Amino acid sequence: MIKTKAYAAQTATSELAPFELHRRTPGAEDVQIEILYCGVCHSDLHTVRGEWHNTLYPSVPGHEIVGRVVCVGAKVRNFKVGDLAGVGCMVDSCGHCHSCDEGVEQYCDNGFTGTYNGPVFGGENTYGGYSQTIVVKESFVLHIKHAEKQLARVAPLLCAGITTYSPLRHWGAGPGKTVGIVGLGGLGHMGVKIAHAMGAHVVLFTTSSAKIEDGKRLGADEVCVSTDPEQMSAYANRFDFILNTVAASHNLDAYLQLLKRDGTMILVGAPAEPHPSPGVFNLIFKRRQLAGSLIGGIRETQEMLDFCARHDIVSDIEMIPMDYINTAYERMLRSDVKYRFVIDLSSLK
Ligand code: NAP
Ligand code: ZN
C-alpha cells in the first residue's frame, strides 16, 4: 500500500481538509502517477456537498488529473516511468457489455467506476486527484502530447474538454453548422474553443455581460447576453445545436426556441435542482430534440487530447495551492474564475 496525502470532505457540510489515504500497490496492469496538477470541476463541488444525494464520505474529489508516471506493472506496454499521463473521470468499467465493447465506457451497462465516489451503481469508495499519487489500470490512463510547460493547462481537458468535445463530435459540429454554447465556465470555455476549432459558427450565451470580450477572444463569433430578451429573440430558429453547460436550474424554453427545425439542445450541466419541464410546443412544432451527454469514452478522450494538442488548445486557468480549495469553491459558485481553477499538488506537503 502507498500512503498518500490528500484533501477530503468528511460530510456534506464540512470543508475540505487534510486527509491521508492509501493507494494499492501497482499490479501487473497498473500505472502509478505522481499527480502534478488537478483541475477543479463543478462536479467536485456537487459531490462534496452531497447535492446529487449519492456521495460516499470521506470524499476526495478531482477527475482532471495530470502527472508523471513513477511506476508501471510488468504487463504495462504503453507507458514507461517518466512519461506524462492523464486520468479523467473513470478508472474502470465492466469491460464486456455492449457499451464497453464500443469504447463508450461512460455508458457501461454495469456502471463505470468513477475516479472518485466509486462505482456509479454502488460499491467501495474511490479517491480522486486532490492527492499526491494515484494508481490506475493502464487502459484508463491517457497519453499527453502537449508540451510539458502546458501541463497545468491540459488538466481541465480530462473532464471539461471531453465533456464538450464528445457531444460536439457526436452531433457533428463543423463548417456550416451554427452552434450555441450556454454558460462560460469551465466546460463552456472549452466548448467555445473546441467548437471554433472544429470550424462551426459559435455563439456564446452568457448571463455575465462582463464576459463578452473574453467570449470573442476564446473563439465565439458572436456573444449573446442571455438575460436580455431582445438579444435572445434575435437568435430564434438559428441553431443546429446548443450545448448547455449551466450548473443551475433554469428555463430551457429560452434556448429551445432558438433551435432550427430538427435542432438539438444537449444538456451537460447537472444541477442539484431539476430544470422546470420545457413547454411541449417548443419541441413538437419544429421537431426539436432535447438530449444529454456524459463525459466521453477513453478512446474518444485520447482523440480529444490529440485534437487539442494539434490545435494548440488548452484551458484558461488560475493556479491555486491545495489549501485554497474551499475559497475556490465559493468563487466558482459566483462564476468568479477565468475559467478553471487548477490545484498545484506540490503545495500538498
Ligand atoms: P462552472 O465552471 O461553475 O460553470 C457554469 C457556468 O454556468 C457559469 O460560469 C455561468 O456562466 C453559468 N451559470 C451558473 N449559474 C447560473 C445560473 N443560475 N443561471 C444561468 N447560468 C448560470 O461549472 P462547470 O465545471 O463548467 O460545470 C458545469 C456543469 O456541468 C456542472 O453542473 C457540472 O456538474 C456538470 N458536468 C457535467 C458533466 C457531464 O458529463 N455531463 C461533466 C462535467 C461537469 P455565465 O456566467 O457565462 O452565465
Ligand atoms: Zn468534471
Side-chain angles (χ1 to χ4, degrees), residues 42-43 46 184-187 206-208 211 245 268-270 293 295 340:
H42 207 114
S43 301
H46 290 308
L184 193 66
L187 266 56
T206 177
T207 56
S208 324
K211 293 182 183 172
T245 75
V268 289
S293 183
I295 48 174
R340 200 56 140 186

Side-chain angles (χ1 to χ4, degrees), residues 66-279:
V66 291
R68 193 177 301 285
V69 175
V70 291
C71 179
V72 294
K75 290 191 181 156
V76 170
R77 291 286 164 262
N78 295 313
F79 290 90
K80 58 181 190 322
V81 170
D83 284 354
L84 298 180
V87 179
C89 303
M90 299 182 283
V91 290
D92 208 354
S93 68
C94 85
H96 53 71
C97 71
H98 190 60
S99 296
C100 289
D101 281 349
E102 289 185 9
V104 283
E105 303 88 354
Q106 74 275 33
Y107 303 119
C108 172
D109 290 348
N110 300 300
F112 69 84
T113 301
T115 302
Y116 59 81
N117 212 39
V120 292
F121 296 150
E124 216 174 288
N125 203 356
T126 49
Y127 298 127
Y130 296 8
S131 61
Q132 291 175 315
T133 191
I134 191 164
V135 177
V136 179
K137 78 177 186 191
E138 177 184 16
S139 51
F140 283 78
V141 182
L142 286 308
H143 290 280
I144 290 167
K145 295 170 191 158
H146 287 79
E148 187 167 346
K149 65 176 191 310
Q150 300 272 47
L151 194 61
R153 287 153 59 82
V154 170
L157 304 185
L158 274 308
C159 174
I162 185 60
T163 302
T164 50
Y165 180 89
S166 182
L168 287 166
R169 278 272 287 161
H170 185 79
W171 274 275
K177 295 287 167 77
T178 303
V179 172
I181 305 284
V182 187
L184 193 66
L187 266 56
H189 94 290
M190 291 313 308
V192 168
K193 289 184 185 210
I194 291 170
H196 173 75
M198 287 175 172
H201 182 84
V202 182
V203 181
L204 167 70
F205 292 90
T206 177
T207 56
S208 324
S209 49
K211 293 182 183 172
I212 295 174
E213 284 315 310
D214 265 1
K216 292 189 177 155
R217 176 181 60 80
L218 294 166
D221 297 286
E222 301 174 54
V223 179
C224 173
V225 177
S226 55
T227 47
D228 177 350
E230 235 173 84
Q231 286 192 40
M232 288 293 277
S233 60
Y235 286 99
N237 306 316
R238 289 234 340 236
F239 289 87
D240 296 287
F241 37 89
I242 296 179
L243 180 63
N244 187 326
T245 75
V246 173
S249 168
H250 63 284
N251 171 21
L252 301 181
D253 281 314
Y255 297 103
L256 286 172
Q257 58 206 11
L258 309 187
L259 294 169
K260 287 180 181 166
R261 193 201 74 219
D262 290 321
T264 305
M265 177 153 78
I266 304 130
L267 302 180
V268 289
E273 300 300 324
H275 299 296
S277 180

